Amino acid sequence: MNSDMKRNQKKKNPKPVQTNPNWSLLQQKLKSNSHSTGNRKSSNNDDSDNHRSILGKRKERPDSEVEDVPKINPLAPVNDDTSLTDEVAMDCEMVGVSQGTKSALGRVTLVNKWGNVLYDEFVRPVERVVDFRTHISGIRPRDLRKAKDFRVAQTKVAELIKGKILVGHALHNDLKVLLLTHPKKDIRDTAEYQPFLKDKTRKSLKHLASEFLGADIQNGEHCPIDDARAAMLLYQKNRREWERNVKDQTRMRLKQKKHFRINEEDDDGEMRVMRSLLHSSKAGFIFRLSSRRSIFTGCRAVMLPRFGGPEVLELRENVPVPNLNPNEVLVRAKAVSINPLDCRLRAGYGRSVLQPHLPVIIGRDISGEVAAIGNSVKSFKVGQEVFGALHPTALRGTYTDFGILSEEELTEKPSSVSHVDASAIPFAALTAWRALKSNARILEGQRLLVFGGGAVGFAAIQLGVAFGCHVTASCVGQTKDRILAAGAEQAVDYLTEDIEVAVKGKFDAVLDTIGRPETERIGINFLRKGGNYMTLQGEAASLTDRYGFVIGLPLATSLLAKKKIQYQYSHGIDYWWTYMRADPEGLAEIQRLVGAGKLKIPVEKTFPITEVVAAHEAKEKKLIPGKVVLEF
């Protein structure tokens, strides 16, 4: 019996099993950790919980560990690959030049499809910056002191985007300040993508980034890197559907092309859409649709392949017609005039800007009919007769069957004047307008002295008279009667008369279209204190051509500043270099005066566009003193 009890006692109190010492140590450590991390359960349950955790149940992380996880930036690149990819996103920041209302490139950024930066540089504009727009652009004066020259940045960007899918938001603005174009088929603009539009209204990039990416951008100063990355990510997230839409639109255009037959009818080669098309659709709809991808695929154009004499000009066939931007108008040219600037550009003036883009089309003035309009154009309709002028630095000029101008560079042609007469007016008149209204801010009753009776001088005389000013002009003998007939109170032949003796009194403004040292001296001395001297012979372009942008532009700026200070101190007057600029208000007033018969530029001779070389030779040799017009 005692032996049985001993056996039962041995069973109730079995001898402890000898465990591996490492396992025992691990169990003790796990128990101590469970006690130190929290008191959510009683100590009796801790052991069992820890054992279950060891057996595979996911262990909870402490709250502090969860809170320390950084928030993921949706715009951060997914790798560090900085290679050039088939898709490139671009964003530009602009600064204000001229009077602050005109935009110029201040910074340009390109990223690849991964969001890694390919190019990011501050850019020094050609014109003086008057508004850095820091609250939006983030650009400060110090950023532009050692910034890239515009031409260098422009060339690099053109090289990077060539043959690539270009992604961005409102890209037409970026391309405009870069003075570049890009094939419409290769542009992916998040401002124009149909699924991103709300009630056909464009959304801002900030709104799109927040709605579709969960990214918060453009709070205060813009970061072009973030903006380019946001545009690229929006494209990548919608790439498959986006590219499918592009293919569908291409197929639709090809189908529509089968219905378009453009015949050359009439002796002047006027292009017309066939009668069957006009019967089946409304012309306005057709041409609005074609403004996205012009149905006028090729045309004649006078090309400048290199700088030189009149013989370098080439009239080429089948020159491509670019697609229109939303604010642009396609004008079928009827007449274009030859300006002195056209001859100077042909000879090499402004080569610092034009050289990288040769061959280019020259010409600034145009008069003709609206052939197509961009999507945002409201002022014009197809078939309307218009006239206008391009900016001096425009790379695609008007010596072509189809000119492209922005909406603000055109106005309706008065029915009382012909296309030939209308084409002679806008560039010269807008140059004179800028001098008198933007620079001198001339008022009724003030005295104006004009040196030179050329197109700009003659326009300035007529504008001055229209403003109610007392106008005196110097000229060559044969134009004296014409100037007096235009309303000038006195006309002095500077070849036979001493203007300093013949003219009495002081003037409020002097416009010098000749720009020689002698006329500058005389003009300055004729001004009363507070007056304005304006010359067309500014040296910005010539110095830049001679020394390049890096040296020439600062040199021109310092030269102008020196003269301003010199004449302000010695005579108490303002000194200006005057250049033509687009001015919708000025163009509207010019149109009104032309319609009323109060403003005209006499045309001496016309040539067909096929004889452009002969026309330039006649101007070069001064065989024709007045205005020459090319007809189409």
Side-chain angles (χ1 to χ4, degrees):
M1 184 175 175
N2 289 334
S3 61
D4 290 339
M5 290 178 65
K6 286 179 181 178
R7 281 197 298 271
N8 291 336
Q9 191 173 3
K10 285 179 182 180
K11 289 179 181 179
K12 291 179 181 178
N13 300 297
K15 186 177 179 180
V17 179
Q18 196 75 15
T19 60
N20 187 299
N22 290 333
W23 177 250
S24 301
L25 186 62
L26 177 61
Q27 285 182 319
Q28 290 175 11
K29 192 166 185 177
L30 289 171
K31 286 180 182 180
S32 64
N33 285 343
S34 66
H35 284 299
S36 62
T37 55
N39 298 315
R40 296 180 185 176
K41 295 185 180 180
S42 66
S43 60
N44 293 332
N45 292 332
D46 284 344
D47 292 341
S48 60
D49 286 344
N50 279 313
H51 282 298
R52 283 196 295 272
S53 296
I54 293 168
L55 294 175
K57 184 176 179 181
R58 188 173 66 183
K59 196 164 64 172
E60 291 185 7
R61 288 180 294 175
D63 293 340
S64 60
E65 186 179 343
V66 175
E67 291 173 358
D68 290 341
V69 176
K71 186 178 179 180
I72 297 175
N73 178 9
L75 302 181
V78 296
N79 58 40
D80 58 358
D81 184 354
T82 58
S83 61
L84 182 60
T85 54
D86 291 336
E87 297 98 12
V88 175
M90 180 172 72
D91 187 76
C92 296
E93 297 300 333
M94 288 79 155
V95 293
V97 297
S98 186
Q99 294 182 334
T101 56
K102 179 185 173 186
S103 294
L105 181 65
R107 182 179 176 184
V108 58
T109 302
L110 286 89
V111 302
N112 62 13
K113 71 177 183 179
W114 310 116
N116 292 306
V117 175
L118 297 171
Y119 189 74
D120 179 35
E121 294 288 350
F122 289 103
V123 181
R124 185 172 54 254
V126 175
E127 297 181 64
R128 185 174 68 87
V129 178
V130 298
D131 184 1
F132 287 87
R133 303 176 185 174
T134 305
H135 65 290
I136 295 176
S137 70
I139 299 173
R140 291 164 173 78
R142 64 172 180 268
D143 297 324
L144 301 187
R145 286 171 193 154
K146 295 185 179 180
K148 290 286 184 184
D149 177 75
F150 172 80
R151 186 160 61 97
V152 173
Q154 180 195 51
T155 303
K156 183 63 176 179
V157 171
E159 176 188 326
L160 290 171
I161 68 175
K162 185 177 181 180
K164 306 298 181 184
I165 297 294
L166 184 60
V167 181
H169 191 82
L171 278 168
H172 65 278
N173 292 325
D174 296 337
L175 292 170
K176 182 177 180 180
V177 296
L178 278 161
L179 300 180
L180 293 175
T181 59
H182 199 69
K184 185 74 174 179
K185 65 181 180 65
D186 292 335
I187 288 180
R188 304 294 181 265
D189 196 328
T190 56
E192 303 291 340
Y193 184 46
Q194 193 65 36
F196 291 162
L197 302 181
K198 183 177 181 181
D199 299 327
K200 298 184 179 180
T201 302
R202 298 181 184 89
K203 293 182 180 179
S204 66
L205 183 61
K206 176 180 176 65
H207 187 108
L208 294 175
S210 176
E211 181 177 350
F212 295 100
L213 305 177
D216 190 17
I217 63 173
Q218 297 182 353
N219 290 318
E221 297 177 8
H222 292 195
C223 173
I225 297 176
D226 284 347
D227 291 353
R229 285 173 174 170
M232 177 58 80
L233 192 54
L234 285 166
Y235 167 71
Q236 292 293 347
K237 283 182 174 291
N238 296 273
R239 185 177 182 276
R240 182 175 297 178
E241 185 63 28
W242 200 324
E243 294 303 324
R244 187 183 297 118
N245 288 345
V246 171
K247 289 180 181 178
D248 290 343
Q249 290 173 8
T250 302
R251 281 195 295 267
M252 185 173 68
R253 290 192 192 103
L254 290 174
K255 281 184 179 180
Q256 289 172 346
K257 251 188 173 181
K258 292 179 181 179
H259 298 287
F260 288 141
R261 289 194 302 159
I262 304 175
N263 279 356
E264 188 170 355
E265 297 184 3
D266 304 327
D267 293 337
D268 63 355
E270 179 180 352
M271 303 299 284
R272 290 198 304 146
V273 178
M274 291 301 291
R275 189 181 296 106
S276 59
L277 174 63
L278 296 177
H279 283 325
S280 61
S281 304
K282 291 190 179 293
F285 169 76
I286 291 165
F287 284 98
R288 172 85 58 177
L289 192 68
S290 70
S291 67
R292 297 184 181 185
R293 185 184 178 97
S294 176
I295 64 171
F296 304 98
T297 56
C299 65
R300 296 177 302 169
V302 176
M303 307 297 294
L304 178 68
R306 64 189 185 280
F307 300 116
E311 70 281 355
V312 302
L313 297 176
E314 298 178 3
L315 180 61
R316 297 183 184 178
E317 303 284 342
N318 299 318
V319 176
V321 178
N323 298 317
L324 297 182
N325 288 322
N327 68 325
E328 289 180 334
V329 179
L330 185 70
V331 179
R332 181 189 288 111
K334 296 294 185 180
V336 298
S337 74
I338 297 178
N339 284 291
L341 179 63
D342 301 342
C343 298
R344 295 179 69 191
L345 291 175
R346 186 208 68 228
Y349 178 76
R351 68 174 64 240
S352 54
V353 174
L354 297 182
Q355 183 79 53
H357 304 284
L358 293 177
V360 297
I361 303 172
I362 60 173
R364 293 296 170 263
D365 285 316
I366 190 170
S367 183
E369 296 177 354
V370 174
I373 55 177
N375 295 328
S376 65
V377 173
K378 305 297 182 186
S379 305
F380 304 106
K381 60 184 179 180
V382 173
Q384 187 174 2
E385 293 188 328
V386 295
F387 74 117
L390 287 167
H391 186 274
T393 59
L395 296 176
R396 189 182 191 277
T398 57
Y399 287 16
T400 173
D401 287 324
F402 292 100
I404 296 178
L405 295 86
S406 67
E407 186 175 13
E408 66 178 11
E409 292 173 327
L410 287 168
T411 188
E412 184 177 8
K413 181 185 77 68
S415 59
S416 58
V417 296
S418 67
H419 285 294
V420 168
D421 290 334
S423 70
I425 296 170
F427 191 85
L430 282 169
T431 305
W433 173 277
R434 180 170 175 80
L436 302 184
K437 279 297 185 181
S438 298
N439 297 149
R441 298 182 181 180
I442 201 161
L443 301 172
E444 182 179 356
Q446 292 186 326
R447 296 191 74 199
L448 168 66
L449 174 61
V450 179
F451 283 102
V456 175
F458 195 56
I461 292 166
Q462 295 172 87
L463 288 174
V465 171
F467 299 154
C469 299
H470 304 285
V471 181
T472 298
S474 73
C475 59
V476 180
Q478 62 264 33
T479 60
K480 188 171 182 178
D481 292 340
R482 181 186 295 172
I483 287 173
L484 291 173
E489 296 178 357
Q490 184 179 7
V492 179
D493 185 345
Y494 61 79
L495 294 179
T496 60
E497 298 179 75
D498 186 345
I499 191 171
E500 292 181 277
V501 175
V503 176
K504 306 298 182 183
K506 295 290 186 178
F507 291 82
D508 299 283
V510 172
L511 174 58
D512 185 358
T513 68
I514 300 172
R516 295 172 183 167
E518 183 66 10
T519 55
E520 180 174 313
R521 180 190 65 78
I522 295 171
I524 294 293
N525 289 332
F526 265 125
L527 283 169
R528 59 169 52 100
K529 283 191 175 181
N532 291 269
Y533 173 85
M534 300 149 291
T535 177
L536 303 187
Q537 308 304 321
E539 298 184 56
S542 58
L543 289 173
T544 303
D545 290 342
R546 187 182 306 170
Y547 301 109
F549 276 106
V550 175
I551 297 175
L553 195 59
L555 185 61
T557 303
S558 63
L559 178 60
L560 177 59
K562 179 183 177 181
K563 286 204 169 189
K564 278 181 170 289
I565 294 170
Q566 172 190 339
Y567 288 129
Q568 182 66 48
Y569 179 77
S570 63
H571 293 75
I573 58 99
D574 283 326
Y575 180 94
W576 303 90
W577 288 347
T578 294
Y579 305 96
M580 178 271 189
R581 292 290 183 273
D583 188 323
E585 179 188 351
L587 194 56
E589 180 63 15
I590 289 166
Q591 188 257 8
R592 186 187 69 80
L593 293 173
V594 171
K598 297 180 179 180
L599 177 58
K600 57 184 177 181
I601 307 294
V603 176
E604 295 290 336
K605 186 173 178 61
T606 63
F607 288 81
I609 189 66
T610 53
E611 297 180 14
V612 62
V613 172
H616 268 249
E617 283 178 346
K619 290 300 294 181
E620 186 93 348
K621 297 175 181 178
K622 298 183 179 179
L623 301 177
I624 304 172
K627 199 73 168 176
V628 173
V629 170
L630 302 171
E631 290 188 274
F632 290 79

